[in-house]
Amino acid sequence: MSIQYDEPLADSYGVADSFTKTFDYGEDEADIEDCPAPSDSKPRILLMGLRRSGKSSIQKVVFHKMSPNETLFLESTNKIYKDDISSSSFVNFQIWDFPGQVDFFDPTFDYEMIFRGTGALIFVIDAQDDYVEALGRLHLTVSRAYRVNPDINFEVFIHKVDGLSDDHKIETQRDIHQRANDDLTDASLEKLHLSFYLTSIYDHSIFEAFSKVVQKLIPQLPTLENLLNIFISNSGIEKAFLFDVVSKIYIATDSSPVDMQSYELCCDMIDVVIDVSCIYGLKEDGSGIAYDKESMAIIKLNNTTVLYLKEVTKFLALVCILREESFERKGLIDYNFHCFRKAIHEVFEVGMSSSRLGSQTAGTPCLMKGVALNGTPRSTV
């Protein structure tokens, strides 16, 4: 099989279709600049799996806001589709969507070149189908990739679990986990680690899984988590997420466990804020900016819970969950947020200074726009 490469068209799946036609990120801020990485040097996330396993649907739902129901009309992928996420998102990487019929023994398939520049490999398994063949392809794929690049993060999405009962989900995950690791042990590849996620495009599980995949590729994650821990401990906040606004992937969160219901609430809040801003935040002629430095929202639920959203950068939003009694100290929370936002921007400034001085590790792509490989803030919250 001859492998073809296809670059997405800007007017097909570009920024314009990521939100409503009137959505705009606003003007570039002077202290946050794009990482000067050429397209080929950006971190690469590979989407692989058998035909009709749901790879293209995942990409379109997460990064292009396609409705899950619309993915039913997607044609099967017959060539490698490269999607540059950095033009419409805070994270700076490419997603390569592979056709299910990739033949590693085809002389036209240069798998060494592809795997050498890969940060994460996501293998999608259809949980509603017989996955024996998928497990065989998974083993072949990860074993080849590991021998070329042992630093790749290997992620397995057990997909389309929305049609399964809770007991069936757990049993399917256990069975796939056991079989896949047994195959690796038989091949003397015990050091190869696979991470497993139950996912569906019909709920937020696919966004949470992609969040964890992307976080593993962010060297600055400990710094961001530390800043969030300091912020919530000084503000009486129960949980905080740093979201990429377009994809609803959370770049970082504090050290407390992530509750799926809390994550879903925060995702829904982002949708509400953007939708309302696009309707009421623009001028009559449609001009203006729907998401900018002044963007913020407060939603009070009927169980004494408060959701609090503030703009951090043109790509990022901080979404917090707290109790009404804690929100009575809103002035303190606003002040702490100002300090947090300043610290985040200083992380970016350190990153840009490092890249200009050439201190960034040679050959290491920049995943986040304007962030150094080991950036640390110069101020605390």
Side-chain angles (χ1 to χ4, degrees), residues 192-378:
L192 196 162
H193 176 71
L194 299 174
S195 299
F196 297 86
Y197 308 88
L198 294 171
T199 61
S200 169
I201 59 173
Y202 291 96
D203 57 32
H204 292 84
S205 60
I206 190 62
F207 295 94
E208 185 183 22
F210 237 108
S211 297
K212 294 179 178 178
V213 170
V214 170
Q215 286 172 25
K216 292 180 182 178
L217 301 177
I218 300 176
Q220 301 81 9
L221 184 62
T223 300
L224 299 175
E225 289 181 348
N226 184 48
L227 287 172
L228 286 166
N229 284 332
I230 297 171
F231 172 69
I232 67 170
S233 64
N234 288 311
S235 306
I237 290 173
E238 295 185 356
K239 190 66 182 172
F241 294 92
L242 192 60
F243 272 97
D244 176 78
V245 177
V246 173
S247 64
K248 289 186 292 187
I249 286 176
Y250 65 95
I251 303 301
T253 185
D254 57 87
S255 56
S256 63
V258 175
D259 174 61
M260 190 63 178
Q261 186 177 11
S262 299
Y263 174 65
E264 291 176 358
L265 274 175
C266 294
C267 286
D268 291 341
M269 184 180 191
I270 292 176
D271 285 337
V272 169
V273 171
I274 295 300
D275 290 344
V276 171
S277 295
C278 287
I279 296 173
Y280 299 105
L282 304 177
K283 298 178 181 179
E284 293 184 1
D285 59 359
S287 63
I289 300 171
Y291 183 75
D292 57 19
K293 292 181 180 180
E294 304 301 321
S295 294
M296 67 92 63
I298 300 167
I299 298 178
K300 295 185 178 181
L301 306 181
N302 58 7
N303 60 352
T304 73
T305 299
V306 176
L307 302 179
Y308 177 75
L309 179 147
K310 290 274 283 185
E311 185 263 7
V312 178
T313 75
K314 67 173 183 175
F315 291 106
L316 293 179
L318 179 71
V319 185
C320 306
I321 300 175
L322 64 158
R323 295 296 173 186
E324 281 189 8
E325 54 266 26
S326 299
F327 193 69
E328 293 175 359
R329 301 179 296 170
K330 183 176 179 298
L332 175 63
I333 295 174
D334 289 342
Y335 174 77
N336 286 338
F337 171 78
H338 174 76
C339 296
F340 170 81
R341 189 175 189 273
K342 181 180 179 183
I344 291 290
H345 280 244
E346 289 189 356
V347 171
F348 300 160
E349 290 175 2
V350 170
M352 290 311 300
S353 298
S354 298
S355 63
R356 291 191 188 101
L357 294 173
S359 62
Q360 191 168 332
T361 304
T364 304
C366 175
L367 178 68
M368 295 163 60
K369 296 184 177 181
V371 185
L373 290 177
N374 294 293
T376 53
R378 296 193 297 270

Side-chain angles (χ1 to χ4, degrees), residues 1 7 30 86 143 146 173 177 220 245 264 285 293 297 309:
M1 183 198 72
E7 296 282 0
S86 60
S143 58
Y146 182 77
Q173 183 177 18
H177 183 280
Q220 301 81 9
V245 177
E264 291 176 358
D285 59 359
K293 292 181 180 180
L309 179 147

Side-chain angles (χ1 to χ4, degrees), residues 139-153:
H139 179 74
L140 173 64
T141 302
V142 299
S143 58
R144 289 251 173 158
Y146 182 77
R147 291 186 177 96
V148 175
N149 182 4
D151 295 326
I152 294 178
N153 295 322

